């Protein structure tokens, strides 16, 4: 059943709180790129994808690959909220024995679609799944999310070329274009602009949207589904650290956990 | 193989050719078999599969990293993918993807490298894979296979498809000596004792298996009883066969067309050290890269023929007590 905008926004806020709290408890992790991806992950898991958390290996399910695996807190919170994994263990993130590993690990969470963490690999995995769906005559779709820093990896462009060549129209690449990577601003480390033009040149149907707008995300995903004969890339303009004022657009919070005081402040903002 | 019958080199198809034929048979039996290739299908011989099953053949272009991870994605979605290229490229250019997309999540991908070793000949070191057994064995959970001839390659490709989990198979370019007769049974991780012997054991893989048998005939004529074992599976090793060889013959030579560093020999040595320590000698490439030339010239120059097995046996026997 489709969720209302208000329900989605409430979920997004709750997931933002969970992200901040779990990374604070872990004392390490990647808050900025988790917070920038929240609306896209929420829309996919709670509205758009055909999935069944109680039957996670259902062969016809849609698949999601978090290629930017370091942003796993957003995925863990969404999967826990959806009922895949225990919500009361989110704060064991990154601790010995936790299913919530530092990067997504299928050995600990079998309902994950891929183990990720080494950047640049998720698009190829998605292509493999897309090809398998086509060979098997199944209608499922595969969504893969990338960081804008991540797409500096050459494998992304090998994969982009091959997806268009094989006309894999059952996959969608979502680029979380927040403009910041570990060492600073993307434009200062290794410029990726003009990003949409690059994907178009590689043969992809490419859309640019506000990655924090549910209506925009919904419209883009619908357009992707209606696009036949080529894969779709959604370049989503986002704000790193979105929702927490002192994290927004702050490269420090790519890979730094908030202190206990910062967690408190963040939670006040996320009420 | 009876020990007292003189072994004669009769050339059969290359192991890459056997791989290509085996893939077609598998493809006929199982619709989930899918093949990916990186613009070398006429050399890796996946072209046979491509011709018969064009829908299940995925051309990946010259992009091995992408190919490897596409294979992983296919496997995650329930297919049994074989990805193939020259060993030098499949392993080195796909290594990161083999580690993170295949080994660590234990994905059911089969990787077949062709043109392994220096016996590819004229193309030279950039195409000569001499490290991939070591690299493949460093991937946790991988099965690593280096068959000796056509019959063993076909059987072990089938075994790889039936095995659930990642597998690397090493094949070669040149026609190779027939070691086995059709019908011989093979099991992953179970070595084959080809020649019985009690004074010394030669543990060999790939092209060196036939050379080891030739060497055993030469030494037999001098009254030296050489056991010859085809250790077609480098991982998991047949520890029992190694333990028996070490304790019953008390001297071991390992022979492979691979760098000694990281190769089968050092893996066997670990088991020998753990079970029944004895003198060992190692035949392989020693800390260098080869060069262009004809395969036979190169195998001769780099010390990978029966003559070299014979001298290693003499050396190891001199150290035996």
């Amino acid at each position: 059943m489709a969720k209302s905008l208000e329900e989605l926004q409430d979920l997004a806020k709750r997931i933002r709180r969970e992200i901040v709290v779990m990374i604070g408890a872990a004392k390490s992790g990647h808050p900025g790129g988790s917070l920038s991806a929240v609306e896209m992950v929420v829309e996919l898991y709670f509205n758009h994808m055909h999935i069944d958390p109680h039957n996670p290996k259902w062969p016809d399910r849609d698949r999601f690959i978090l290629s930017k695996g370091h942003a796993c807190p957003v995925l863990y919170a969404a999967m826990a909220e959806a009922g895949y994994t225990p919500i009361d263990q989110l704060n064991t993130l990154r601790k010995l024995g936790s299913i919530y590993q530092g990067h997504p690990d299928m050995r600990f969470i079998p309902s994950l679609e891929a183990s990720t963490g080494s950047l640049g690999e998720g698009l190829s995995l998605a292509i493999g799944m897309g090809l398998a769906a086509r060979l098997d005559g199944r209608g499922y779709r595969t969504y893969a999310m990338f960081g804008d820093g991540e797409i500096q990896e050459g494998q992304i462009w090998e994969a982009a070329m091959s997806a268009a060549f094989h006309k894999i129209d059952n996959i969608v690449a979502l680029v979380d274009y927040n403009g910041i990577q570990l060492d600073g601003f993307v434009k200062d480390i290794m410029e990726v602009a003009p990003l949409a033009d690059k994907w178009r040149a590689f043969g992809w149907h490419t859309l640019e949207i506000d990655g924090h707008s549910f209506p925009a995300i919904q419209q883009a995903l619908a357009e992707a589904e209606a696009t036949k004969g080529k894969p779709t890339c959604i370049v989503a303009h986002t704000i790193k650290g979105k929702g927490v004022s002192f994290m927004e657009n702050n490269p420090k919070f790519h890979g730094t956990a908030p202190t206990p005081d910062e967690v408190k402040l963040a939670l006040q903002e996320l009420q | 193989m009876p020990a007292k019958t003189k072994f004669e080199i009769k050339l059969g198809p290359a192991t890459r050719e056997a791989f290509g034929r085996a893939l077609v048979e598998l493809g006929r039996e199982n619709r989930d078999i899918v093949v990916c290739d990186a613009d070398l299908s006429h050399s890796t011989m996946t072209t046979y599969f491509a011709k018969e099953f064009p829908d299940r053949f995925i051309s990946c272009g010259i992009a091995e990293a992408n190919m490897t991870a596409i294979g992983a994605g296919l496997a995650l979605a329930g297919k049994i993918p074989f990805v193939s290229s020259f060993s030098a490229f499949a392993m080195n250019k796909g290594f990161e993807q083999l580690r993170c997309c295949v080994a660590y999540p234990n994905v059911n991908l089969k990787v077949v490298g062709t043109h392994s070793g220096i016996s590819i000949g004229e193309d030279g070191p950039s195409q000569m894979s001499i490290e991939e057994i070591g690299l493949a064995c460093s991937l946790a959970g991988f099965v690593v296979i280096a068959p000796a001839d056509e019959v063993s390659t076909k059987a072990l490709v089938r075994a790889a498809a039936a095995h659930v989990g990642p597998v690397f198979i090493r094949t070669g370019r040149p026609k190779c000596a027939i070691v086995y007769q059709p019908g011989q049974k093979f099991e992953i991780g179970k070595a084959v004792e080809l020649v019985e012997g009690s004074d010394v054991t030669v543990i060999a893989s790939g092209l060196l298996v036939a050379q080891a048998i030739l060497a055993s005939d030469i030494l037999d004529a001098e009254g030296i009883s050489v056991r010859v074992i085809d250790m077609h599976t480098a991982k998991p090793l047949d520890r029992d066969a190694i333990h028996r060889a070490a304790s019953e013959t008390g001297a071991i030579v390992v022979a492979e067309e691979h760098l000694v560093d990281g190769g089968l020999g050092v893996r066997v040595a670990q088991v020998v050290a753990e079970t029944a320590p004895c003198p060992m000698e190692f035949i392989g490439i020693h800390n260098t890269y080869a060069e262009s030339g004809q395969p036979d010239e190169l195998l001769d120059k780099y010390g990978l023929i029966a003559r070299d097995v014979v001298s290693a046996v003499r050396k190891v026997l001199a150290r035996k007590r």
Side-chain angles (χ1 to χ4, degrees):
Chain A
M1 202 188 313
K3 288 221 166 13
S4 70
L5 182 58
E6 201 183 353
E7 287 174 302
L8 292 169
Q9 284 168 339
D10 283 350
L11 261 166
K13 195 166 267 189
R14 188 149 81 232
I15 282 173
R16 284 204 160 85
R17 288 198 294 270
E18 286 160 354
I19 290 168
V20 168
V21 170
M22 80 172 99
I23 298 176
K27 299 192 180 73
S28 71
H30 300 81
S34 302
L35 293 167
S36 61
V38 168
E39 280 79 9
M40 286 183 276
V41 172
V42 166
E43 172 60 27
L44 286 168
Y45 271 88
F46 298 94
N47 215 28
H48 185 80
M49 290 201 295
H50 299 92
I51 50 176
D52 179 1
H54 303 293
N55 186 11
K57 293 292 166 192
W58 173 37
D60 288 311
R61 72 191 182 280
D62 288 341
R63 279 119 169 117
F64 177 73
I65 299 167
L66 185 67
S67 191
K68 43 175 278 183
H70 55 278
C72 55
V74 65
L75 179 59
Y76 293 159
M79 289 180 75
E81 288 285 352
Y84 286 98
T85 52
I87 201 156
D88 59 357
Q89 291 174 25
L90 284 175
N91 293 344
T92 64
L93 175 72
R94 291 177 163 252
K95 295 195 168 77
L96 188 66
S98 174
I99 63 163
Y100 298 116
Q101 294 279 298
H103 290 79
D105 187 337
M106 302 177 80
R107 297 175 306 165
F108 290 85
I109 304 179
S111 52
L112 284 167
E113 301 294 354
S115 295
T116 52
S118 177
L119 295 175
E121 299 181 337
L123 189 53
S124 314
L125 293 171
I127 291 167
M129 293 177 191
L131 284 164
R134 189 155 82 188
L135 284 167
D136 290 341
R138 295 186 186 275
Y140 66 79
R141 297 173 62 74
T142 302
Y143 300 88
M145 180 180 281
F146 308 89
D148 47 1
E150 174 179 15
I151 64 166
Q152 293 159 355
E153 289 277 6
Q155 188 186 342
I156 290 288
W157 301 102
E158 292 184 4
M161 199 185 303
S162 63
F165 173 74
H166 287 291
K167 300 184 169 57
I168 304 172
D169 55 14
N170 57 7
I171 67 169
V172 177
L174 300 113
V175 181
D176 183 6
Y177 198 0
N178 60 38
I180 292 175
Q181 57 190 115
L182 190 146
D183 262 351
F185 292 93
V186 172
K187 65 179 170 50
D188 299 325
I189 306 300
M190 179 52 64
E191 181 59 282
V192 299
L195 195 44
D197 288 349
K198 286 191 172 75
W199 287 92
R200 286 191 190 106
F202 274 76
W204 287 59
H205 181 64
T206 305
L207 307 164
E208 285 195 80
I209 64 164
D210 170 357
H212 298 306
S213 159
F214 281 108
I217 297 165
Q218 288 161 1
Q219 203 182 337
L221 291 173
E223 186 173 326
E225 198 149 354
T227 301
K228 301 299 173 199
K230 50 164 71 175
T232 295
C233 176
I234 299 172
V235 175
H237 293 271
T238 58
I239 294 166
K240 194 126 178 173
K242 171 75 175 175
V244 178
S245 60
F246 57 89
M247 291 187 181
E248 286 192 1
N249 277 320
N250 182 353
K252 177 189 158 189
F253 285 102
H254 168 89
T256 307
T259 64
D261 285 346
E262 285 169 338
V263 170
K264 259 184 227 159
L265 270 175
L267 289 179
Q268 281 166 20
E269 292 187 18
L270 291 167
Q271 282 313 305
Chain B
M1 180 160 305
K4 303 300 169 196
T5 310
K6 278 273 184 199
F7 180 69
E8 274 177 59
I9 295 275
K10 286 196 194 102
L11 287 181
T15 48
R16 64 178 165 133
E17 171 75 17
F19 156 62
R21 298 292 180 195
L23 264 188
V24 174
E25 287 173 24
L26 282 169
R28 288 176 187 151
E29 294 164 21
N30 188 340
R31 293 165 48 87
D32 282 333
I33 302 284
V34 184
V35 175
C36 302
D37 202 285
D39 190 41
L40 287 169
S41 68
H42 293 91
S43 301
T44 62
M45 310 319 286
T46 59
T47 182
Y48 301 139
F49 185 95
K51 279 204 187 92
E52 189 158 335
F53 308 105
D55 294 347
R56 286 191 267 149
F57 177 81
I58 296 152
S59 166
C60 292
I62 308 169
E64 295 79 7
N66 183 44
M67 174 176 74
T68 305
I70 286 178
L74 283 159
L76 285 165
K79 295 295 173 189
I80 305 173
F82 279 75
V83 302
S84 187
S85 182
F86 287 9
S87 276
F89 312 134
M91 187 54 62
N92 293 291
K93 299 198 179 198
F95 189 76
E96 213 282 325
Q97 291 68 26
L98 290 174
R99 188 177 91 89
C100 283
C101 297
V102 182
Y104 149 55
N106 192 37
V107 167
N108 190 29
L109 180 71
K110 319 302 167 188
V111 184
V112 180
T114 67
H115 296 66
S116 311
I118 65 170
S119 59
I120 69 164
E122 294 80 354
D123 274 345
S126 68
Q127 326 286 302
M128 288 171 171
S129 188
I130 54 173
E131 308 88 355
E132 81 276 25
I133 295 294
L135 289 167
C137 287
S138 72
L139 295 166
F142 252 79
V143 165
V144 181
I145 297 171
D149 74 347
E150 178 194 21
V151 169
S152 55
T153 300
K154 282 188 167 171
L156 288 161
V157 168
R158 298 186 74 84
H163 173 82
V164 180
V167 180
F168 173 75
I169 302 177
R170 176 187 220 228
T171 66
R173 174 176 181 258
K175 289 184 184 303
C176 65
I178 295 167
V179 175
Y180 295 103
Q181 297 308 308
Q184 171 84 31
K185 297 271 183 272
F186 292 89
E187 210 179 304
I188 288 171
K190 187 97 182 69
V192 180
E193 185 175 315
L194 285 161
V195 181
E196 291 175 8
S198 53
D199 296 330
V200 58
T201 302
V202 179
I203 294 176
S205 74
L207 291 186
L208 271 295
V209 172
Q211 298 302 313
I213 300 170
L214 281 179
S216 75
D217 282 347
I218 295 167
L219 291 156
D220 186 60
E222 299 175 17
I224 299 169
S225 167
V226 182
R227 180 179 301 182
V228 177
I229 292 175
D230 173 7
M231 191 64 69
H232 51 71
T233 307
K235 185 180 181 180
L237 279 175
D238 186 340
R239 293 177 63 92
D240 289 344
I242 296 168
H243 184 188
R244 276 198 309 275
S247 57
E248 292 168 10
T249 71
I252 292 178
V253 171
V254 183
E256 58 190 318
E257 189 193 358
H258 186 276
L259 271 184
V260 170
D261 295 311
L264 175 67
V266 297
R267 292 179 54 75
V268 170
Q270 182 189 351
V271 177
V272 171
E274 287 169 351
T275 55
C278 70
M280 292 184 70
E281 291 290 331
F282 302 92
I283 292 173
I285 318 277
H286 291 269
N287 198 33
T288 189
Y289 297 97
E291 63 199 281
S292 292
Q294 289 173 24
D296 287 346
E297 294 173 333
L298 290 167
L299 293 167
D300 181 296
K301 176 167 180 178
Y302 288 86
L304 300 173
I305 58 176
R307 168 202 67 204
D308 307 293
V309 179
V310 168
S311 59
V313 165
R314 293 195 207 288
K315 229 167 132 184
V316 83
L317 283 176
R319 291 169 54 210
K320 183 178 165 182
R321 256 184 260 245

